[in-house]
Coordinates of all heavy atoms in Angstrom, one line a residue:
Chain C
A540 N 87.2 50.1 130.7 CA 87.3 50.4 132.1 C 88.5 49.7 132.8 O 88.9 48.6 132.3 CB 86.0 50.0 132.9
Y542 N 90.0 48.4 136.7 CA 89.7 48.1 138.0 C 91.0 47.7 138.8 O 91.9 47.2 138.1 CB 88.7 46.9 138.1 CG 87.4 47.1 137.4 CD1 87.2 46.7 136.1 CD2 86.4 47.7 138.1 CE1 86.1 46.9 135.4 CE2 85.2 47.8 137.5 CZ 85.0 47.5 136.1 OH 83.9 47.7 135.5
Q544 N 92.2 45.5 142.1 CA 91.8 44.5 143.1 C 93.0 44.1 144.1 O 94.0 43.7 143.6 CB 91.3 43.2 142.4 CG 90.7 42.2 143.4 CD 90.1 41.0 142.7 OE1 90.6 40.5 141.8 NE2 89.0 40.4 143.3
G547 N 91.9 39.6 148.8 CA 90.7 39.5 149.7 C 89.6 40.6 149.5 O 88.8 40.6 150.3
Q548 N 89.9 41.4 148.4 CA 88.9 42.5 148.3 C 88.2 42.4 146.9 O 88.7 41.7 146.0 CB 89.6 43.9 148.4 CG 90.1 44.2 149.8 CD 90.6 45.5 149.9 OE1 90.3 46.4 149.0 NE2 91.4 45.9 150.9
A549 N 87.1 43.0 146.7 CA 86.5 43.1 145.6 C 87.1 44.1 144.6 O 87.8 45.0 145.1 CB 84.9 43.5 145.7
P550 N 87.0 44.0 143.3 CA 87.6 45.0 142.4 C 86.9 46.3 142.6 O 85.7 46.4 143.0 CB 87.1 44.4 141.0 CG 86.9 42.9 141.2 CD 86.4 42.9 142.6
R551 N 87.8 47.3 142.4 CA 87.2 48.7 142.5 C 87.5 49.5 141.2 O 88.6 49.3 140.6 CB 88.1 49.5 143.6 CG 87.8 51.0 143.9 CD 88.5 51.5 145.0 NE 89.9 51.8 144.7 CZ 90.6 52.8 145.2 NH1 90.0 53.7 145.8 NH2 91.9 52.9 144.9
L552 N 86.4 50.2 140.8 CA 86.5 50.9 139.6 C 87.5 52.1 139.7 O 87.5 52.9 140.6 CB 85.2 51.5 139.1 CG 85.2 52.4 137.9 CD1 85.3 51.6 136.7 CD2 83.8 53.1 137.9
Y555 N 86.9 54.8 133.7 CA 85.9 54.3 132.6 C 86.1 55.3 131.5 O 86.7 56.4 131.6 CB 84.5 54.4 133.2 CG 84.0 55.7 133.7 CD1 83.2 56.6 132.9 CD2 84.3 56.1 135.1 CE1 82.9 57.7 133.3 CE2 83.7 57.3 135.4 CZ 83.1 58.2 134.6 OH 82.6 59.4 135.1
G556 N 85.4 54.9 130.3 CA 85.6 55.7 129.1 C 87.1 55.9 128.7 O 87.5 56.9 128.1
Y593 N 92.8 45.2 136.3 CA 92.1 44.5 135.2 C 91.5 45.5 134.2 O 91.0 46.6 134.8 CB 90.9 43.6 135.7 CG 91.3 42.5 136.5 CD1 91.4 42.5 137.9 CD2 91.7 41.2 135.8 CE1 91.7 41.4 138.6 CE2 92.0 40.1 136.6 CZ 92.0 40.2 138.0 OH 92.4 39.0 138.8
Q595 N 88.5 46.1 131.3 CA 87.2 45.5 130.9 C 86.7 46.3 129.8 O 86.6 47.5 129.8 CB 86.3 45.5 132.0 CG 84.9 45.0 131.6 CD 83.7 46.0 132.0 OE1 83.8 46.6 133.0 NE2 82.6 45.9 131.3
Y597 N 83.4 47.3 127.3 CA 82.0 47.3 127.4 C 81.4 47.9 126.0 O 80.4 48.6 126.0 CB 81.5 48.1 128.6 CG 82.0 49.4 128.8 CD1 81.2 50.6 128.3 CD2 83.2 49.6 129.5 CE1 81.8 51.9 128.5 CE2 83.7 51.0 129.7 CZ 82.9 52.0 129.3 OH 83.4 53.3 129.4
N598 N 82.1 47.5 125.0 CA 81.6 47.9 123.7 C 80.6 46.9 123.1 O 79.7 47.3 122.3 CB 82.9 47.9 122.7 CG 82.4 48.8 121.5 OD1 82.2 49.9 121.5 ND2 82.4 48.0 120.4
N599 N 80.8 45.6 123.5 CA 80.1 44.5 123.0 C 79.7 43.5 124.1 O 80.4 43.3 125.0 CB 80.7 43.8 121.8 CG 80.8 44.6 120.6 OD1 81.8 45.4 120.5 ND2 79.8 44.6 119.7
W600 N 78.6 42.8 123.8 CA 78.4 41.6 124.6 C 79.1 40.4 124.0 O 79.2 40.3 122.8 CB 76.9 41.2 124.7 CG 75.9 42.2 125.3 CD1 75.1 43.1 124.6 CD2 75.8 42.6 126.7 NE1 74.5 43.8 125.5 CE2 74.9 43.6 126.7 CE3 76.4 42.1 127.8 CZ2 74.5 44.2 128.0 CZ3 76.0 42.7 129.1 CH2 75.1 43.7 129.1
P601 N 79.7 39.5 124.9 CA 79.6 39.6 126.4 C 80.7 40.5 126.8 O 81.7 40.8 126.1 CB 80.0 38.1 126.8 CG 80.8 37.6 125.7 CD 80.3 38.3 124.4
L602 N 80.5 41.1 128.0 CA 81.4 42.0 128.6 C 82.7 41.1 129.0 O 82.5 40.0 129.5 CB 80.9 42.6 129.8 CG 79.5 43.3 129.7 CD1 79.0 43.9 131.0 CD2 79.7 44.5 128.7
F604 N 86.9 40.7 130.3 CA 88.0 41.3 131.0 C 89.3 40.8 130.5 O 89.4 39.6 130.0 CB 87.9 40.9 132.5 CG 86.8 41.4 133.3 CD1 85.5 40.8 133.2 CD2 86.8 42.6 134.0 CE1 84.4 41.2 133.9 CE2 85.7 43.0 134.7 CZ 84.5 42.4 134.7
G605 N 90.4 41.5 130.7 CA 91.7 41.1 130.6 C 92.1 40.1 131.8 O 91.4 40.0 132.7
Q606 N 93.3 39.4 131.6 CA 93.6 38.4 132.7 C 94.2 39.1 133.8 O 94.5 38.3 134.8 CB 94.5 37.4 132.0 CG 96.0 37.8 131.9 CD 96.2 38.7 130.7 OE1 95.3 39.2 130.1 NE2 97.5 38.7 130.3
Chain L
H630 N 74.3 43.0 137.8 CA 75.1 41.9 137.2 C 75.7 41.0 138.2 O 75.8 41.3 139.4 CB 76.3 42.6 136.5 CG 75.9 43.5 135.4 ND1 75.7 43.1 134.0 CD2 75.7 44.8 135.4 CE1 75.4 44.1 133.3 NE2 75.3 45.2 134.2
V632 N 79.2 38.8 138.4 CA 80.5 38.5 137.8 C 81.3 37.6 138.7 O 81.1 37.5 139.9 CB 81.4 39.8 137.8 CG1 82.8 39.5 137.2 CG2 80.7 40.9 137.0
Q634 N 84.8 34.9 139.8 CA 86.2 34.9 139.8 C 86.7 33.5 140.3 O 86.5 33.2 141.6 CB 86.8 36.0 140.6 CG 88.4 36.1 140.5 CD 88.9 37.3 141.1 OE1 88.4 37.9 142.2 NE2 90.0 37.9 140.6
K638 N 92.2 33.2 139.7 CA 92.1 33.6 138.3 C 91.5 34.9 138.1 O 91.3 35.6 139.0 CB 91.1 32.5 137.6 CG 91.5 31.1 137.7 CD 92.9 30.9 137.1 CE 93.3 29.4 137.1 NZ 94.6 29.2 136.4
G639 N 91.2 35.2 136.8 CA 90.6 36.6 136.5 C 89.1 36.6 136.6 O 88.5 35.7 137.2
L640 N 88.5 37.7 136.1 CA 87.1 38.0 136.2 C 86.3 37.5 135.0 O 86.8 37.7 133.8 CB 87.0 39.5 136.5 CG 87.7 40.0 137.7 CD1 87.8 41.6 137.6 CD2 87.0 39.7 138.9
E641 N 85.1 37.0 135.2 CA 84.3 36.6 134.2 C 82.8 37.1 134.4 O 82.2 36.8 135.4 CB 84.2 35.1 134.0 CG 83.3 34.6 132.9 CD 83.2 33.0 132.9 OE1 83.5 32.4 134.0 OE2 82.7 32.5 131.8
W642 N 82.3 37.9 133.4 CA 80.9 38.3 133.5 C 80.0 37.1 133.3 O 80.3 36.3 132.4 CB 80.7 39.4 132.4 CG 79.2 39.8 132.4 CD1 78.6 40.7 133.2 CD2 78.3 39.3 131.5 NE1 77.2 40.8 132.8 CE2 77.0 40.0 131.7 CE3 78.3 38.5 130.3 CZ2 75.9 39.8 131.0 CZ3 77.2 38.3 129.6 CH2 75.9 38.9 129.9
Y655 N 73.3 36.5 129.4 CA 74.1 35.5 130.0 C 75.3 35.2 129.3 O 75.3 35.4 128.1 CB 73.3 34.1 130.2 CG 72.1 34.2 131.0 CD1 70.8 34.3 130.3 CD2 72.1 34.1 132.4 CE1 69.6 34.3 131.2 CE2 71.0 34.1 133.1 CZ 69.8 34.3 132.5 OH 68.6 34.3 133.3
A656 N 76.4 34.8 130.0 CA 77.5 34.4 129.3 C 77.2 33.0 128.7 O 76.4 32.2 129.3 CB 78.8 34.2 130.3
Y690 N 80.5 37.7 142.5 CA 80.2 39.1 142.9 C 78.9 39.6 142.4 O 78.6 39.3 141.1 CB 81.4 40.0 142.4 CG 82.7 39.7 143.0 CD1 83.7 39.1 142.4 CD2 83.0 40.2 144.3 CE1 85.0 38.9 142.8 CE2 84.3 40.1 144.8 CZ 85.2 39.3 144.1 OH 86.5 39.2 144.6
R696 N 75.2 52.7 134.8 CA 74.1 53.7 134.3 C 72.7 53.1 134.6 O 72.5 51.9 134.9 CB 74.4 53.9 132.9 CG 75.6 54.7 132.5 CD 75.9 55.1 131.2 NE 76.4 54.0 130.5 CZ 77.1 54.1 129.4 NH1 77.4 55.3 128.9 NH2 77.6 53.0 128.7
L700 N 69.7 47.5 130.1 CA 70.8 46.6 130.2 C 71.5 46.8 128.8 O 71.2 46.3 127.8 CB 70.3 45.1 130.2 CG 71.5 44.0 130.3 CD1 72.2 44.2 131.6 CD2 70.9 42.6 130.2
L701 N 72.7 47.5 129.0 CA 73.5 47.9 127.9 C 74.9 47.6 128.4 O 75.2 47.6 129.6 CB 73.4 49.3 127.5 CG 72.1 49.8 127.0 CD1 72.0 51.4 126.9 CD2 71.7 49.2 125.6
P702 N 75.8 47.4 127.4 CA 77.3 47.1 127.9 C 77.7 48.3 128.7 O 77.8 49.4 128.2 CB 77.9 46.9 126.5 CG 76.9 46.5 125.5 CD 75.7 47.2 126.0
N703 N 78.2 48.0 129.8 CA 78.6 49.1 130.8 C 79.7 48.6 131.7 O 80.0 47.4 131.7 CB 77.4 49.5 131.6 CG 76.6 50.6 131.0 OD1 77.0 51.4 130.2 ND2 75.3 50.6 131.2
W704 N 80.2 49.5 132.5 CA 81.1 49.1 133.5 C 80.4 48.9 134.8 O 79.2 49.2 134.9 CB 82.2 50.2 133.7 CG 81.8 51.5 134.1 CD1 81.8 52.0 135.3 CD2 81.3 52.6 133.3 NE1 81.3 53.3 135.3 CE2 81.0 53.6 134.1 CE3 81.1 52.7 131.9 CZ2 80.6 54.9 133.6 CZ3 80.5 53.9 131.4 CH2 80.4 55.0 132.2
F705 N 81.2 48.4 135.9 CA 80.5 48.1 137.1 C 81.0 49.0 138.3 O 82.2 49.1 138.4 CB 80.8 46.6 137.5 CG 80.6 45.6 136.4 CD1 81.6 45.0 135.7 CD2 79.3 45.3 135.9 CE1 81.4 44.2 134.6 CE2 79.1 44.4 134.9 CZ 80.2 43.8 134.2
D706 N 80.1 49.4 139.1 CA 80.5 50.2 140.2 C 79.3 50.5 141.1 O 78.3 51.1 140.8 CB 81.0 51.6 139.6 CG 81.6 52.5 140.8 OD1 82.2 51.9 141.7 OD2 81.3 53.7 140.7
W708 N 81.1 46.9 143.5 CA 81.0 45.4 143.6 C 80.7 45.1 145.1 O 81.2 45.8 146.0 CB 82.3 44.8 143.1 CG 82.7 45.1 141.8 CD1 82.9 46.3 141.2 CD2 83.1 44.2 140.8 NE1 83.4 46.3 139.9 CE2 83.5 44.9 139.6 CE3 83.2 42.8 140.7 CZ2 84.0 44.2 138.5 CZ3 83.7 42.2 139.6 CH2 84.0 43.0 138.5
G709 N 80.1 44.0 145.3 CA 80.0 43.4 146.6 C 81.2 42.7 147.0 O 82.1 42.6 146.1
Q710 N 81.2 42.1 148.1 CA 82.4 41.3 148.5 C 82.5 39.9 148.1 O 83.5 39.2 148.1 CB 82.5 41.3 150.1 CG 83.0 42.7 150.7 CD 84.3 43.1 150.1 OE1 85.3 42.4 150.2 NE2 84.3 44.3 149.4

Side-chain angles (χ1 to χ4, degrees):
Chain C
Y542 301 88
Q544 187 177 35
Q548 296 187 17
R551 177 176 72 144
L552 177 70
Y555 61 92
Y593 294 95
Q595 177 230 331
Y597 53 94
N598 196 66
N599 291 91
W600 298 107
L602 307 175
F604 295 84
Q606 80 280 16
Chain L
H630 300 266
V632 181
Q634 185 171 35
K638 302 297 184 183
L640 301 164
E641 179 188 18
W642 174 79
Y655 297 99
Y690 294 104
R696 291 182 283 205
L700 184 66
L701 296 170
N703 275 330
W704 64 94
F705 311 107
D706 185 36
W708 304 50
Q710 288 301 306

